[in-house]
Amino acid sequence: MMGCQEWPEPIIRVQALAESGINSIPERFIKPQSQRPKTESNNCVPQKQGFEDVNDVENINNINIPVIDLQDLYGEDKNLKEETMKRVSEACREWGFFQVLNHGVNHDLMKSAREVWREFFHQPIEVKEKYANSPITYEGYGSRLGIKKGAILDWSDYFFLHYMPSSLRDQEKWPALPNSLRGVIDEYGEEVVKLGGRILELMSKNLGLKEDFLMKSFGGESDIGACLRVNFYPKCPQPDLTLGLSSHSDPGGMTILLPDENVSGLQVRRGEHWITVKPVPNAFIINIGDQIQVLSNAIYKSIEHRVIVNSNKDRVSLAFFYNPRSDLLIQPAKELVTQDRPPLYPPMTFDEYRLYIRTKGPCGKSQVESLTSHK
Ligand code: OGA
Ligand code: NI
C-alpha cells in the first residue's frame, strides 16, 4: 500500500456537507450499531430488573480524567513536588490520560491558536482546497484517515502539518490565511514542544529511569518529531449515528491536546465505558501514545479514545503529536525488562509503525496489541 498516491474515492469535505443544509447524513458516515455513541436515544437495551448497567453509565458521567496542577514541580517545597510527581505517576499508570494546569504555555497564545484555526476552517472552500492533502504524507487539508476503499468515514475535516524536525517544517505548506496563522503556530509549537520535553522528563523519572532517558530515545531535543493535527468537527444532523473520530490510540509518543473551550466531545475508554472528558479552562489534555507504551514495556499504556459530535455546535481541537524521530528503532527500555517481564514488543521505527493507521484508518488498539510477542 506504500505506493498509494491518491485517495481511493473522491473526497467528501464534511464541513461543506454539513453546511449544505442536509437533515440526514449519507450512509458512508453511519457507523455499525456497536460503534455508535451511547446516548439516550441509542439505548435500546430492553429494560430489566436491577438497573446496574444504567447506574454505572451514570456514574461514569460524573467522573473526569485526573486534573494535575504542575505549579509545585518547579517550586521550593520538596513535599509538594513529590506529591505532584506521584499524581503524574498515577495518572500515567492508571489512566494514560490527564489534564495539566500551570503547564507554562501562555493562555493567550492557546486562545489565539484555537481562534486562528477556527478562522481557517471558516474560509471559503477554495482557500482550503489549495492545501488538499494526499495519503503519501498526509500534510495539508484532509477529510479522512486511511485508504481503504468503501471505508465508513468520520464526521470531521482536519489540517495536518509538520513542526519538527526543522528539516520537515515547511511554512509554505501551512495556510497563508488568516495572515497571523503561520506566526501564531510557530510560537505555539515552540512552547508546546518545551512542555512536551518537561513531561518526558517527569515520565522518565517516574519510571525509575534517568531523567533524559525518554528524550534520548526520542532522538534528542532537536531531532524529535512533532506534528500538529487540527481537527474540525462540524455540526451533525444525526450525531447518534456517527463519530467525529473513530476509536483509536495515538500511534506516536505523547499527545498534547488543546480542546475546544466551549464544546466537549472527546471520550476516553475506561474498561467497558466511555468517559466524556470535561475540559478545564486553560488546561492541556495529555495522553500516552503507543511509542511510550512500547518504551515503557507497557508500564504506561496508550488509551483508546474517540470523538462524538453534536447537532448544534462545531468543535475545533489542536492535537500536537510529540513523537520519536521517525527513523530510530523504538523498543522496551532494557531497564524495564526483567525475567518476569520480558520485552513485550519487537523493535520498530515510528516510520514503519505509523503506516498501519495511515493505511487502515483508526482501529482501536489493534496495532499495538497485535505486536505483543507471546513468549
Ligand atoms: C486525535 C484526537 C481528539 C479530539 O486527533 O488523535 O484524538 O478531541 N483528537 O479532537
Ligand atoms: Ni487521538
Side-chain angles (χ1 to χ4, degrees):
M1 288 304 225
M2 270 178 90
C4 195
Q5 305 283 300
E6 273 312 321
W7 301 109
E9 48 236 337
I11 275 297
I12 306 171
R13 299 302 178 194
V14 180
Q15 186 182 1
L17 180 62
E19 287 169 1
S20 72
I22 50 166
N23 45 36
S24 65
I25 64 176
E27 208 167 350
R28 292 291 310 274
F29 293 91
I30 301 181
K31 303 289 175 188
Q33 198 83 43
S34 64
Q35 290 175 19
R36 294 182 197 169
K38 268 225 173 55
T39 58
E40 218 86 314
S41 46
N42 273 345
N43 206 346
C44 49
V45 182
Q47 294 205 342
K48 292 183 292 200
Q49 290 277 299
F51 290 101
E52 276 170 31
D53 287 351
V54 176
N55 280 332
D56 277 355
V57 172
E58 256 167 25
N59 284 338
I60 287 293
N61 284 333
N62 291 332
I63 59 176
N64 202 358
I65 57 172
V67 179
I68 307 176
D69 187 332
L70 300 181
Q71 175 95 35
D72 293 329
L73 280 179
Y74 307 99
E76 295 296 306
D77 190 320
K78 271 214 162 119
N79 289 333
L80 289 176
K81 196 168 174 165
E82 246 170 57
E83 182 65 26
T84 308
M85 287 297 282
K86 213 168 123 198
R87 297 202 61 209
V88 173
S89 171
E90 275 171 17
C92 290
R93 282 175 187 260
E94 287 160 31
W95 287 84
F97 247 100
F98 52 100
Q99 304 192 55
V100 291
L101 283 166
N102 285 308
H103 40 62
V105 180
N106 183 289
H107 296 171
D108 290 334
L109 183 57
M110 294 164 76
K111 250 202 184 84
S112 315
R114 197 164 34 209
E115 284 322 304
V116 80
W117 280 109
R118 201 188 292 284
E119 277 176 47
F120 168 78
F121 283 101
H122 285 301
Q123 294 176 111
I125 188 79
E126 313 83 67
V127 177
K128 294 178 283 189
E129 289 295 352
K130 283 188 201 143
Y131 303 95
N133 74 351
S134 85
I136 308 169
T137 66
Y138 275 91
E139 287 172 283
Y141 178 54
S143 299
R144 67 185 285 173
L145 180 57
I147 51 174
K148 225 174 83 202
K149 200 172 161 78
I152 299 176
L153 303 172
D154 287 341
W155 194 262
S156 55
D157 301 319
Y158 63 86
F159 198 101
F160 182 71
L161 60 83
H162 284 289
Y163 187 77
M164 286 191 72
S166 48
S167 57
L168 290 182
R169 188 189 310 172
D170 180 358
Q171 293 215 2
E172 290 300 307
K173 293 180 180 169
W174 303 5
L177 294 172
N179 273 318
S180 60
L181 187 141
R182 291 178 179 171
V184 168
I185 293 319
D186 221 12
E187 207 182 323
Y188 181 78
E190 190 176 322
E191 293 213 13
V192 176
V193 163
K194 280 189 210 150
L195 170 62
R198 289 196 294 270
I199 295 175
L200 272 197
E201 207 171 286
L202 302 178
M203 288 180 179
S204 301
K205 284 191 203 161
N206 278 335
L207 285 165
L209 302 166
K210 285 209 188 105
E211 66 177 27
D212 63 354
F213 182 90
L214 287 173
M215 182 59 91
K216 279 198 169 143
S217 311
F218 275 45
E221 270 175 46
S222 50
D223 281 344
I224 61 144
C227 27
L228 177 65
R229 179 178 152 114
V230 183
N231 299 294
F232 186 83
Y233 304 97
K235 293 175 209 173
C236 178
Q238 293 178 298
D240 291 354
L241 302 183
T242 192
L243 289 169
L245 185 53
S246 294
S247 171
H248 65 284
S249 61
D250 293 341
M254 150 176 71
T255 305
I256 303 172
L257 182 86
L258 178 63
D260 198 300
E261 57 184 343
N262 302 311
V263 194
S264 58
L266 173 63
Q267 293 190 320
V268 173
R269 185 168 173 148
R270 186 92 170 143
E272 294 312 304
H273 298 290
W274 289 101
I275 296 179
T276 304
V277 175
K278 295 172 204 63
V280 169
N282 298 318
F284 279 106
I285 299 170
I286 309 286
N287 65 284
I288 308 260
D290 295 345
Q291 303 306 305
I292 288 185
Q293 174 165 339
V294 170
L295 282 160
S296 72
N297 206 20
I299 294 175
Y300 293 169
K301 293 188 191 63
S302 63
I303 301 294
E304 266 180 73
H305 52 287
R306 67 180 189 184
V307 176
I308 58 171
V309 289
N310 70 81
S311 55
N312 46 46
K313 276 186 176 143
D314 294 337
R315 178 172 180 270
V316 179
S317 71
L318 276 64
F320 197 91
F321 302 117
Y322 192 103
N323 297 331
R325 183 178 139 162
S326 65
D327 58 354
L328 294 178
L329 280 177
I330 300 296
Q331 57 191 311
K334 303 266 180 308
E335 294 83 343
L336 303 177
V337 170
T338 60
Q339 209 138 48
D340 294 341
R341 199 180 175 86
L344 292 168
Y345 314 97
M348 196 187 276
T349 66
F350 182 49
D351 266 337
E352 193 184 347
Y353 191 93
R354 72 174 156 200
L355 277 177
Y356 182 97
I357 191 167
R358 288 187 165 192
T359 307
K360 289 198 173 192
C363 12
K365 282 201 69 171
S366 63
Q367 182 178 17
V368 72
E369 280 171 1
S370 73
L371 288 174
T372 306
S373 35
H374 298 282
K375 290 182 188 164

